[in-house]
Amino acid sequence: MTLWNGSYPFYPGANACFPFDTTRAVIVTIFLSMLATSIIILPGIRGRGRLFWFLRLVLGLFMGAVILTVQFTRDWETGWVQANTSYKSFSPAQVNADIGLHIGLAGVNVTLRGNPVQQINETINYNEHFPWNFGADYDHSYSQGLEKGLPSPILYVAEKFTTQSPCAVHRQYRIAGHYVSLSLWLAFCTWLISILLFSMSVLLYGGHMLLLTAALTFFSLIFFSTARNPLKCPIQFGSVSLRTDYGESFWLTLAAGLLCLLLGLGIVILNSVQPEKLKLIFNLDKSSKEEMWDKSCLPAEPSCSAQDELMVPLGELCHVTATKL
């Protein structure tokens, strides 16, 4: 087989990776729009309740955005390695590249980026996704990669997660991803219920919903940790091996869970120890009672005004003199 413009003719061009995740961008844009809209109406809130309302808004939106976003991210577990490796099958060409592995709830992403990007008359910048979510066939996606003639490092890493691989990690990662996704969807629902309860001033049950949200979030982390075991067959590139560790999505989920736990515990404890301070934080202090008292004596209600007119001090009464007949 002969070369055609410096490359083998049955290999297609490089699959350039998209600069950002569109799903994450949409979710972040929606929550930032909600935050911006709330900031616009912030000057309409009087007194110190403005600060408490803003803090509740920011913390609530952060927890909801994290719980929803990590459902679609692909960096629950990540790893990078730089190595000199063969580029394609049946070719003695060696390239220096960064090889990345990104494990998400719905599949695996394998990244190949050359150092430099332009080598052997090609642009080495790949980012391939191999799904294992419901309705997806990982082995079929891997077979399609073989037919497309993807670079050897990508196929080598993706092969470790096939159902026929001796590494035997496909089933546990796939099942763990399904349970993690289910737990996070339930956590998102309980977060919505807590927001609804707080808006109805049912503070105690709102705190209980936050505690339930934290519990579901921690369950999702436990489910993913049980699937993360060292590979029985390491991913080796010459003298170096590709090792993975927890990614950004894992730590963001842990932060959101801890925040839900602390806020839920704080609300429950304050409700039992010092309920007045809790009402102050949620703008349910004595000012609302004073406003109700003032409204009860408005001119629209004649009872108060009539009483004020009839009650006259005894000292101001006129003295009446009587004459004998």
Side-chain angles (χ1 to χ4, degrees):
M1 186 173 292
T2 59
L3 291 174
W4 179 262
N5 293 332
S7 63
Y8 285 95
F10 56 83
Y11 288 124
N15 182 18
C17 57
F18 203 68
F20 58 87
D21 188 354
T22 54
T23 305
R24 183 187 301 184
V26 169
I27 296 174
V28 171
T29 302
I30 293 174
F31 277 88
L32 287 179
S33 301
M34 296 171 60
L35 179 61
T37 305
S38 303
I39 290 176
I40 293 175
I41 66 175
L42 187 62
I45 302 176
R46 297 177 299 174
R48 55 186 176 183
R50 181 185 307 172
L51 176 61
F52 291 132
W53 185 84
F54 182 73
L55 289 177
R56 296 200 311 269
L57 174 69
V58 172
L59 293 177
L61 290 179
F62 171 77
M63 291 183 294
V66 169
I67 294 173
L68 185 60
T69 303
V70 295
Q71 288 271 8
F72 309 98
T73 55
R74 300 172 181 177
D75 55 354
W76 277 76
E77 186 177 349
T78 59
W80 285 92
V81 67
Q82 183 177 358
N84 292 314
T85 180
S86 61
Y87 182 49
K88 290 180 178 178
S89 302
F90 312 110
S91 173
Q94 296 278 324
V95 295
N96 184 273
D98 291 327
I99 306 164
L101 173 61
H102 314 277
I103 302 175
L105 304 181
V108 170
N109 269 61
V110 185
T111 304
L112 180 67
R113 187 181 306 147
N115 289 317
V117 177
Q118 296 290 337
Q119 296 185 49
I120 59 173
N121 297 327
E122 289 193 27
T123 301
I124 305 176
N125 190 14
Y126 290 82
N127 184 18
E128 297 292 332
H129 180 62
F130 301 91
W132 56 44
N133 55 333
F134 288 114
D137 189 348
Y138 185 93
D139 292 341
H140 180 67
S141 300
Y142 176 74
S143 301
Q144 287 182 334
L146 288 173
E147 294 175 1
K148 289 192 300 183
L150 293 177
S152 296
I154 294 180
L155 295 175
Y156 170 66
V157 176
E159 185 184 7
K160 302 292 184 180
F161 294 88
T162 59
T163 57
Q164 305 299 326
S165 173
C167 297
V169 293
H170 173 84
R171 185 174 180 271
Q172 61 188 34
Y173 269 108
R174 185 172 182 269
I175 294 177
H178 294 165
Y179 280 108
V180 171
S181 181
L182 177 61
S183 298
L184 289 176
W185 279 120
L186 292 175
F188 184 73
C189 293
T190 55
W191 171 79
L192 287 176
I193 296 174
S194 69
I195 296 297
L196 179 62
L197 291 174
F198 288 140
S199 64
M200 297 171 60
S201 301
V202 188
L203 306 183
L204 181 59
Y205 292 107
H208 290 164
M209 283 294 106
L210 280 182
L211 292 177
L212 182 57
T213 303
L216 291 171
T217 305
F218 291 145
F219 281 140
S220 67
L221 298 175
I222 294 173
F223 289 146
F224 188 80
S225 299
T226 56
R228 185 184 177 274
N229 293 321
L231 294 178
K232 297 179 180 178
C233 42
I235 304 175
Q236 197 77 21
F237 294 95
S239 59
V240 295
S241 60
L242 196 158
R243 301 182 183 276
T244 60
D245 203 351
Y246 293 120
E248 295 179 1
S249 296
F250 183 90
W251 297 116
L252 275 176
T253 307
L254 178 61
L258 290 175
L259 184 60
C260 290
L261 178 63
L262 292 177
L263 291 178
L265 286 176
I267 291 173
V268 172
I269 293 175
L270 280 179
N271 185 78
S272 60
V273 177
Q274 293 181 339
E276 295 300 327
K277 289 187 177 181
L278 182 62
K279 293 179 180 180
L280 179 64
I281 294 175
F282 284 87
N283 297 335
L284 300 175
D285 52 354
K286 296 180 179 179
S287 60
S288 59
K289 296 182 180 179
E290 294 176 357
E291 293 178 359
M292 293 178 61
W293 178 261
D294 295 337
K295 289 180 181 179
S296 63
C297 294
L298 288 176
E301 298 180 2
S303 59
C304 293
S305 58
Q307 290 177 1
D308 293 339
E309 293 178 358
L310 294 176
M311 293 178 64
V312 180
L314 295 176
E316 296 180 3
L317 294 175
C318 297
H319 296 280
V320 179
T321 58
T323 58
K324 296 182 178 180
L325 294 177

